[in-house]
Amino acid sequence: MQIGMIGTGYVGLVTGACFSEFGVTVKCVDKDSKKIESLNRGDIPFYEPGLQDLVSRNVKQRRLSFSTDISDAVRNSQAVFIAVGTPPNEDGTADLSHVFAVARSIAEHINNYKVIVTKSTVPVGTGKKVKDIVASVTGDKADFDVVSNPEFLREGAAIEDFMRPDRIVIGAETQRAIAVMKELYGPLYLIETPFVITNIETAELIKYAANAFLATKISFINEIANLCDKVNADVHDVARAMGLDGRIGKKFLHPGPGFGGSCFPKDTRALLSIANDSGVNLDVVAATIKANYTQRDIMLDKIISTMGDVSNKTIAFLGLAFKPNTDDLREAPALYLIGELLKKGAKIRAYDPAAIENAKAEYPDIYYGSDGYDTIKGADATVLTTEWNQFRNLDLKCIKELMAGPYFFDLRNVYEPKKLTEQGFIHFSVGRR
């Protein structure tokens, strides 16, 4: 089978490369000629573990290619995936202009039966609109089906998530389209991956509902952590006991400075917008969003209330990306904290194993260290904001000696409070005694 992947962002590039590893011939298309030139040179535009090798191997074996020519990708493919961005508008709704533009371009080049697959995260009803756009361009003469096939890729673990997913969701209206999708995902069917076959609207909603629920778990445990701080309880013990309940599960019960990234903030706001348009109140989701942004301010207040006046104080940040194993800074709590502390006159030093170049575009004038130890030299306080593995076993004695001040804010609860106390730190963890 040959497929076209329209869009070479995070979802499109990872999905296309993984399908090619399954033996599918994949042509990835993007209107950005510089990005295509870069990909053809073998340069990956973002950090994702294992992706460089996966792309290089499949390009070499001629199963994966990159182009700006959408006509060739459509004409020679049985399935064409729409994997372009759906950034949020100011009101929280998803901007679907790129999706609809691609739908029109696909329609202009349909020459035989096609399955048009929306891989982008889109609001309920988008599939129907895509179908109407294609039909309007072709004058109802084209033979095609529209399918919703949401992605569930975690940044930093995307390849594993694709190769061994919890489920494959296919929203379709015809058995013909379902058969094409099952053939495409055949290797996963053979390892007994669950397939959820439903209508298009349900598939579109599943992605938003899943992300909103995971975001809710994060906001919930953060609020419990804040309560633990007040009542002499330990959130780690609370979360562990909760997670052992099979009805709850242990994943995403990790307190911190709040969630960020490309999905949870955008998708929760978009889900609220969908609900509002439908006359439905999603009070839990609204509270999740509010609690998340409140959590960042609670962390900021803790730093300032502990240190006092931070003007002319040097504060070192270990970690900038919103999570480990990615260079994604979208809605990263670290960037928010840095921005607020700069407004108050603090001097910032920062280090991240993957995200420094991206951070320089946001804050070009702060000091970026060569590693964690270089970053904390002379700092009055250290703030650990991203739990990269290399930050999990730092030499605390060495750090204390290198720092000018005693403050250590462990916003990811990486270190046992007792060890920080033994080294003489004035420290703060999230919800720990």
Side-chain angles (χ1 to χ4, degrees), residues 119-293:
K119 198 69 175 173
S120 305
T121 301
V122 295
V124 178
T126 302
K128 184 179 184 303
K129 292 177 182 178
V130 168
K131 183 178 179 180
D132 292 342
I133 287 171
V134 175
S136 68
V137 173
T138 61
D140 292 324
K141 296 178 181 178
D143 189 13
F144 71 97
D145 278 307
V146 172
V147 168
S148 175
N149 177 220
E151 55 85 17
F152 301 95
L153 305 177
R154 294 170 299 161
E155 292 186 54
I159 294 173
E160 177 65 17
D161 285 348
F162 189 98
M163 297 299 183
R164 295 189 176 278
D166 294 325
R167 74 291 203 193
I168 298 296
V169 176
I170 298 171
E173 296 177 334
T174 71
Q175 289 302 314
R176 189 180 184 187
I178 293 169
V180 170
M181 296 301 292
K182 283 187 172 181
E183 180 183 350
L184 187 57
Y185 281 106
L188 297 181
Y189 185 79
L190 291 175
I191 62 172
E192 299 183 347
T193 301
F195 278 61
V196 179
I197 310 296
T198 184
N199 67 0
I200 295 173
E201 290 82 2
T202 303
E204 291 169 337
L205 184 56
I206 285 171
K207 173 62 184 291
Y208 284 111
N211 277 355
F213 187 78
L214 296 174
T216 299
K217 289 186 76 173
I218 294 172
S219 285
F220 178 82
I221 201 63
N222 280 338
E223 291 198 324
I224 293 299
N226 298 334
L227 178 60
C228 286
D229 279 332
K230 300 295 185 181
V231 299
N232 193 35
D234 192 314
V235 72
H236 278 210
D237 293 336
V238 173
R240 181 171 180 270
M242 288 175 60
L244 290 172
D245 188 325
R247 298 167 299 175
I248 298 173
K250 64 182 180 180
K251 293 184 178 180
F252 286 83
L253 291 178
H254 305 290
F259 57 76
S262 62
C263 291
F264 288 1
K266 174 175 71 73
D267 290 353
T268 49
R269 291 197 296 269
L271 183 58
L272 274 188
S273 177
I274 294 167
N276 289 337
D277 289 344
S278 301
V280 176
N281 291 326
L282 295 184
D283 294 337
V284 172
V285 178
T288 291
I289 296 170
K290 180 181 178 182
N292 187 59
Y293 291 111

Side-chain angles (χ1 to χ4, degrees), residues 77 79 156 163 165 198 212 300 304 319 337 347 379 401:
S77 298
M163 297 299 183
T198 184
L300 178 66
I304 294 172
L337 295 174
K347 299 175 182 178
E401 292 173 351

